[in-house]
Amino acid sequence: MEHAHWMKRCLQLASNGAGLVAPNPMVGAVLVQGDRILSEGWHRVYGGPHAEVNCLQAWGDQPIPADAIMYVSLEPCSHTGLTPPCAELLIARGVRTVVMGCTDPDPRVAGRGIARLRDAGITVITDVLQDECRWVNRRFITSIEQQRPYIILKWARSSDGFLDRHPRGERGVQRISCYATDVLAHRWRSEEQAILVGSRTVLNDNPRLDVRHVAGHSPLRVVLDRQGITPAASHVYDGSTPTLLITGNTRELPDVGQALIPAGAEPLDFLLAELYRRKVRSLLVEGGGELLGRFISRNLWDEAREIAGEPLFLQGTPAPHLLRQPHRTLASGGDRIHLYTRSSVPETAWPW
């Protein structure tokens, strides 16, 4: 039986929830009879029905055929959270066979969903396209297993390896990438829960750190400003999108959340712990050379996305350099995008 074929469809459906369901995982479900899809669904929005619920609602109230198989990319939940447990729904609806992609590492589930289904006499087949299923939910899984957000480093460099051109003439972003790449970068932003820069980037570039070129939610803007030197009139403090200031000195900034770094605490450790406490599963780091360098030197990253543009700067801030080869390189207009990870990735990774 082509379990992998239908699991790929589950993963396609799950990806529809990118940027919409966090801090929950992205999940897709397909109800199949023979070679025919009876119904399908995915987790559409945080707090809303899970994939299995949407799939069965799409099928309706009619009985589930005895030979039908429910495919789901993540272990059905067995606890009551914002919604009832999906394992109990599958049992109540009379599903006889469930094929799942990977187990859920959440301690409230973590094999309990499988056990509940099997105890009810349901045939459960596990670990179909496990690597691909874990990749789709790498943000959620990393957060649960490592108790920190999934960290993506991103920077653009000139053709001769600089993040910016010196001397700087004025405050503002210096363009490196082409428009097509900028659109893609905004899609990246829309897929993550938070985006981080340091105080120097706010001072030099005055970035907005929101999503404008594509439809999607803007991430939580996070500013690491230990000394409180960023201007209050900066775009990141304009109230248009939620902002969290990580600082050593409380500021008078209306509509800006703040977290005070305790005396003697390591700023990055405090920042990551604070985001984890807030259930932020993923963090896109768009800071300058100093901030990126701190993450790299401490091996605090899971992915890196380097945009190599066409401009020639001659002098400026040197771009970070990773002592490894990229897993993949993509063309975007005149730019090249080098994609790095610290772990193995399936062939289906980065489907932009």
Side-chain angles (χ1 to χ4, degrees), residues 63-81:
I64 306 294
D67 60 341
I69 300 174
M70 171 66 77
Y71 290 87
V72 60
S73 56
L74 185 70
E75 177 183 5
C77 63
S78 55
H79 67 287
T80 299

Side-chain angles (χ1 to χ4, degrees), residues 32-332:
V32 175
Q33 184 182 35
D35 61 355
R36 182 168 67 98
I37 292 178
L38 300 181
S39 62
E40 54 188 28
W42 65 93
H43 188 27
R44 294 173 178 268
V45 63
Y46 176 68
H50 289 184
E52 302 94 319
V53 177
N54 285 327
C55 182
L56 291 174
Q57 285 181 345
W59 173 245
D61 295 331
Q62 56 193 315
I64 306 294
D67 60 341
I69 300 174
M70 171 66 77
Y71 290 87
V72 60
S73 56
L74 185 70
E75 177 183 5
C77 63
S78 55
H79 67 287
T80 299
L82 296 177
T83 59
C86 293
E88 297 300 330
L89 175 64
L90 296 176
I91 295 168
R93 290 299 305 272
V95 174
R96 306 286 184 87
T97 304
V98 174
V99 177
M100 49 175 276
C102 65
T103 55
D104 186 337
D106 188 326
R108 297 172 298 176
V109 187
R112 291 182 175 88
I114 297 172
R116 180 69 186 97
L117 294 175
R118 286 177 172 162
D119 288 345
I122 295 175
T123 298
V124 180
I125 299 171
T126 64
D127 299 336
V128 175
L129 296 185
Q130 180 183 38
D131 291 344
E132 288 84 351
C133 291
R134 285 182 62 87
W135 173 261
V136 166
N137 277 315
R138 60 198 184 277
R139 299 163 178 85
F140 173 79
I141 291 172
T142 296
S143 177
I144 295 296
E145 293 181 344
Q146 299 191 34
Q147 299 188 348
R148 65 161 175 81
Y150 186 87
I151 300 169
I152 302 172
L153 309 182
K154 176 258 178 180
W155 67 89
R157 65 167 176 82
S158 64
S159 58
D160 51 349
F162 296 105
L163 295 175
D164 58 5
R165 178 189 287 115
H166 293 174
R168 297 185 68 98
E170 58 185 11
R171 189 184 188 202
V173 177
Q174 296 181 346
R175 306 312 312 173
I176 293 177
S177 55
C178 68
Y179 180 72
T181 303
D182 290 347
V183 172
L184 179 57
H186 277 239
R187 178 176 173 181
W188 293 345
R189 288 180 178 179
S190 74
E191 293 175 346
E192 310 309 332
Q193 275 190 273
I195 182 170
L196 170 69
V197 295
S199 56
R200 188 60 55 186
T201 295
V202 175
L203 283 171
N204 291 340
D205 295 349
N206 194 22
R208 296 183 183 277
L209 302 182
D210 57 6
V211 173
R212 300 184 301 279
H213 299 327
V214 300
H217 293 298
S218 292
L220 171 70
R221 302 184 292 197
V222 184
V223 177
L224 178 58
D225 181 9
R226 290 174 294 173
Q227 299 177 344
I229 61 174
T230 49
S234 300
H235 291 314
V236 290
Y237 302 136
D238 63 11
S240 62
T241 295
T243 296
L244 174 64
L245 174 64
I246 307 291
T247 182
N249 303 288
T250 303
R251 304 272 304 278
E252 290 293 330
L253 294 169
D255 302 320
V256 174
Q258 301 187 41
L260 192 64
I261 304 172
E266 207 294 320
L268 289 190
D269 290 342
F270 173 77
L271 182 152
L272 295 176
E274 178 65 19
L275 293 180
Y276 176 76
R277 186 185 70 80
R278 293 169 179 255
K279 294 187 177 180
V280 173
R281 306 294 193 197
S282 63
L283 177 66
L284 180 63
V285 182
E286 288 198 8
E290 182 180 351
L291 183 60
L292 289 165
R294 288 185 205 163
F295 277 92
I296 292 171
S297 66
R298 293 194 55 196
N299 286 322
L300 278 174
W301 63 279
D302 300 288
E303 289 181 45
R305 302 171 184 176
E306 178 188 54
I307 300 166
E310 294 184 301
L312 185 70
F313 281 179
L314 299 179
Q315 61 180 344
T317 303
H321 180 65
L322 297 176
L323 299 177
R324 63 183 67 211
Q325 293 297 312
H327 279 273
R328 190 168 303 171
T329 295
L330 309 176
S332 176

